[in-house]
Amino acid sequence: MAARALLLASLVLSCFLLPCYGFVLFSSLQRTLEVTASPTSGQVLKGGVDKITVTWGLNQTVAAGTDSTYKTIKVKLCYAPISQVDRGWRKTVDNLKKDRTCQHKIVSRPYNPANSTAQSHEWTVERDVPTATYFVRAYAYDADEKEVAYGQTTDAHKTTNLFQVQAISGRHVTMDTCSICFSVFSVVSLFGFFYNEKRRAKRPQ
């Protein structure tokens, strides 16, 4: 009986531990990277037009060897809390496998601990980036492609140094002009048709 109870307890414990195995929690990461971005607080950028210059590097105040496991740096565009309200598909989750805060990749670069000086990258805001308020975050990954550290352009509460992106409508001036011309032509043709029909009806038989 005792053996069965022990087995049951082990199974229950395994069910609780299994979902967490191998997953990385954001709350477990150290903020060891310094990250800056060119947009000023409150600036509005246009998708497909404006550019962002991102700079990242190891915080020089951390202990030597902190970055010994860093292999890759991935920089991402992330939603600010104000643009996550009532949008479950942008929800922040501590489990990084389920987190939807940072969905837009900016750049991925190898990391060399022997040369941890700041690197930069210029990125054109992609046309499919939704209208929202954003910040920039960089993750450090180890050899197993797991997040081991991070840095971001905003504070811990994600309320400072935020900027906005205005998505394009997906329409072009040329297309709009052609659409208007076609509409005008259609209306003129319709009136012309009715006018000719009316003239024909008035002709003596």
Side-chain angles (χ1 to χ4, degrees):
M1 188 70 179
R4 290 182 60 186
L6 182 60
L7 178 61
L8 181 60
S10 299
L11 290 174
V12 171
L13 183 61
S14 298
C15 290
F16 280 104
L17 293 179
L18 187 60
C20 298
Y21 179 77
F23 293 167
V24 178
L25 302 181
F26 180 78
S27 58
S28 70
L29 303 181
Q30 291 186 333
R31 184 171 178 171
T32 62
L33 301 177
E34 287 289 339
V35 184
T36 60
S38 55
T40 58
S41 181
Q43 184 176 352
V44 179
L45 306 177
K46 293 183 178 179
V49 177
D50 292 323
K51 298 180 179 181
I52 297 175
T53 299
V54 183
T55 303
W56 66 93
L58 183 69
N59 188 322
Q60 297 303 307
T61 63
V62 301
T66 300
D67 59 343
S68 60
T69 61
Y70 301 178
K71 299 300 180 183
T72 308
I73 301 294
K74 295 182 182 181
V75 184
K76 302 180 180 183
L77 187 66
C78 310
Y79 292 107
I82 192 173
S83 292
Q84 294 176 297
V85 177
D86 297 327
R87 294 175 175 88
W89 60 93
R90 300 177 182 176
K91 186 178 180 181
T92 294
V93 179
D94 196 31
N95 183 339
L96 290 176
K97 286 289 185 181
K98 299 179 180 180
D99 182 48
R100 302 297 294 167
T101 307
C102 306
Q103 300 183 29
H104 307 282
K105 178 182 174 181
I106 294 179
V107 67
S108 176
R109 292 268 184 89
Y111 182 84
N112 182 5
N115 181 21
S116 58
T117 55
Q119 298 186 50
S120 63
H121 176 76
E122 185 179 72
W123 180 69
T124 300
V125 180
E126 296 177 353
R127 297 164 62 92
D128 61 348
V129 173
T131 296
T133 302
Y134 294 91
F135 64 94
V136 175
R137 178 182 289 167
Y139 284 107
Y141 290 78
D142 63 13
D144 295 324
E145 280 293 300
K146 291 183 179 180
E147 300 90 342
V148 290
Y150 81 102
Q152 59 190 29
T153 57
T154 185
D155 64 341
H157 300 290
K158 299 176 286 186
T159 58
T160 61
N161 299 325
L162 305 177
F163 57 91
Q164 300 176 41
V165 170
Q166 183 179 22
I168 61 173
S169 64
R171 299 175 62 179
H172 299 277
V173 175
T174 303
M175 293 179 62
D176 288 341
T177 302
C178 292
S179 178
I180 293 172
C181 291
F182 180 76
S183 298
V184 172
F185 175 77
S186 299
V187 172
V188 172
S189 299
L190 186 62
F191 274 108
F193 172 77
F194 282 117
Y195 177 75
N196 287 332
E197 287 297 314
K198 191 173 182 179
R199 286 188 60 187
R200 289 179 182 177
K202 289 182 177 180
R203 288 178 183 176
Q205 298 296 325

Short mmCIF file of all heavy atoms in Angstrom, two decimals, residues 65-71 111 113:
data_model
loop_
_atom_site.label_atom_id
_atom_site.label_comp_id
_atom_site.label_asym_id
_atom_site.label_seq_id
_atom_site.Cartn_x
_atom_site.Cartn_y
_atom_site.Cartn_z
N GLY A 65 34.09 37.08 -16.57
CA GLY A 65 33.67 35.71 -16.83
C GLY A 65 32.18 35.51 -16.86
O GLY A 65 31.71 34.41 -17.16
N THR A 66 31.41 36.56 -16.57
CA THR A 66 29.95 36.44 -16.59
C THR A 66 29.45 35.99 -17.95
O THR A 66 28.47 35.25 -18.05
CB THR A 66 29.30 37.79 -16.22
OG1 THR A 66 29.72 38.16 -14.90
CG2 THR A 66 27.78 37.70 -16.26
N ASP A 67 30.12 36.44 -19.00
CA ASP A 67 29.68 36.15 -20.37
C ASP A 67 30.36 34.93 -20.98
O ASP A 67 30.33 34.75 -22.20
CB ASP A 67 29.93 37.38 -21.25
CG ASP A 67 31.41 37.77 -21.28
OD1 ASP A 67 32.16 37.31 -20.40
OD2 ASP A 67 31.80 38.52 -22.18
N SER A 68 30.96 34.10 -20.16
CA SER A 68 31.73 32.95 -20.68
C SER A 68 30.87 31.96 -21.47
O SER A 68 31.37 31.24 -22.33
CB SER A 68 32.44 32.23 -19.54
OG SER A 68 31.50 31.74 -18.59
N THR A 69 29.57 31.92 -21.18
CA THR A 69 28.69 30.96 -21.87
C THR A 69 27.93 31.60 -23.04
O THR A 69 27.20 30.91 -23.75
CB THR A 69 27.66 30.36 -20.89
OG1 THR A 69 26.86 31.41 -20.35
CG2 THR A 69 28.37 29.63 -19.76
N TYR A 70 28.10 32.90 -23.23
CA TYR A 70 27.36 33.58 -24.28
C TYR A 70 27.91 33.18 -25.65
O TYR A 70 29.12 33.26 -25.90
CB TYR A 70 27.45 35.10 -24.16
CG TYR A 70 26.93 35.68 -22.86
CD1 TYR A 70 26.99 37.06 -22.63
CD2 TYR A 70 26.38 34.89 -21.86
CE1 TYR A 70 26.52 37.61 -21.45
CE2 TYR A 70 25.91 35.43 -20.68
CZ TYR A 70 26.00 36.80 -20.47
OH TYR A 70 25.54 37.33 -19.30
N LYS A 71 27.04 32.77 -26.54
CA LYS A 71 27.45 32.38 -27.89
C LYS A 71 26.78 33.22 -28.97
O LYS A 71 27.36 33.46 -30.03
CB LYS A 71 27.11 30.90 -28.14
CG LYS A 71 27.82 29.93 -27.20
CD LYS A 71 29.32 30.03 -27.31
CE LYS A 71 30.01 29.05 -26.37
NZ LYS A 71 31.50 29.18 -26.42
N TYR A 111 28.52 35.97 -30.53
CA TYR A 111 29.12 36.73 -29.42
C TYR A 111 30.51 36.17 -29.12
O TYR A 111 30.70 34.96 -29.00
CB TYR A 111 28.26 36.63 -28.17
CG TYR A 111 28.80 37.45 -27.01
CD1 TYR A 111 28.52 38.80 -26.91
CD2 TYR A 111 29.59 36.85 -26.03
CE1 TYR A 111 29.01 39.55 -25.85
CE2 TYR A 111 30.09 37.60 -24.97
CZ TYR A 111 29.80 38.94 -24.88
OH TYR A 111 30.30 39.69 -23.84
N PRO A 113 33.33 36.45 -26.28
CA PRO A 113 33.68 36.96 -24.96
C PRO A 113 35.01 37.71 -24.93
O PRO A 113 35.22 38.58 -24.08
CB PRO A 113 33.75 35.70 -24.09
CG PRO A 113 32.89 34.71 -24.80
CD PRO A 113 33.08 35.00 -26.26
#
